[in-house]
Amino acid sequence: MSFDCQINEQADQPTPSIRTHSAVKDLPAALERALRAITLNLEELGRFPSGAPFAGYFNMDMQNLDVVVEFPVAKQVLGRAIFKVGPSRGGKRLLLCTSGRITKLTQPTTH
């Protein structure tokens, strides 16, 4: 597996999002469901994502991760029952891209 890690500056942008809970083992399916729901609803509104999706994690409970899935859009859209829309605040972002299969997650370490 290979990793690419970058720190970049991101401007404020509107982002439809879905917040959900999932066990780590079910995370790929949960992310796919959330992203599919956002894109299908955006298409119904005549809008499309303007960048790569991203996820934020609010805890480290591997059996019940609290995760938000977001998709940036070029113009503000109204929230719908399936998702809410808010600004993703600008600032420094850590971007980690992986290629290959993730087979095991480990606890983070500090240096």
Side-chain angles (χ1 to χ4, degrees):
M1 176 177 311
S2 65
F3 296 92
D4 179 27
C5 186
Q6 303 170 8
I7 295 178
N8 60 22
E9 194 73 28
Q10 178 69 49
D12 288 356
Q13 60 189 1
T15 54
S17 65
I18 292 178
R19 193 162 176 176
T20 189
H21 289 81
S22 173
V24 169
K25 67 180 181 64
D26 302 325
L27 192 56
L31 294 175
E32 183 179 349
R33 277 192 307 273
L35 292 171
R36 186 178 310 264
I38 292 171
T39 55
L40 289 174
N41 278 270
L42 286 174
E43 286 175 9
E44 289 176 8
L45 296 170
R47 301 288 174 84
F48 300 93
S50 64
F54 52 95
Y57 302 89
F58 296 94
N59 66 3
M60 291 297 292
D61 180 348
M62 297 298 147
Q63 300 308 311
N64 190 29
L65 277 175
D66 181 3
V67 59
V68 64
V69 181
E70 302 182 65
F71 237 137
V73 292
K75 295 181 181 176
Q76 187 68 31
V77 296
L78 296 177
R80 302 182 87 182
I82 191 74
F83 63 76
K84 73 175 194 173
V85 178
S88 178
R89 300 286 180 221
K92 290 191 183 286
R93 300 286 166 94
L94 173 65
L95 177 64
L96 175 63
C97 294
T98 63
S99 62
R101 185 169 172 81
I102 297 173
T103 58
K104 180 174 129 181
L105 292 179
T106 60
Q107 290 289 66
T109 58
T110 58
H111 299 279

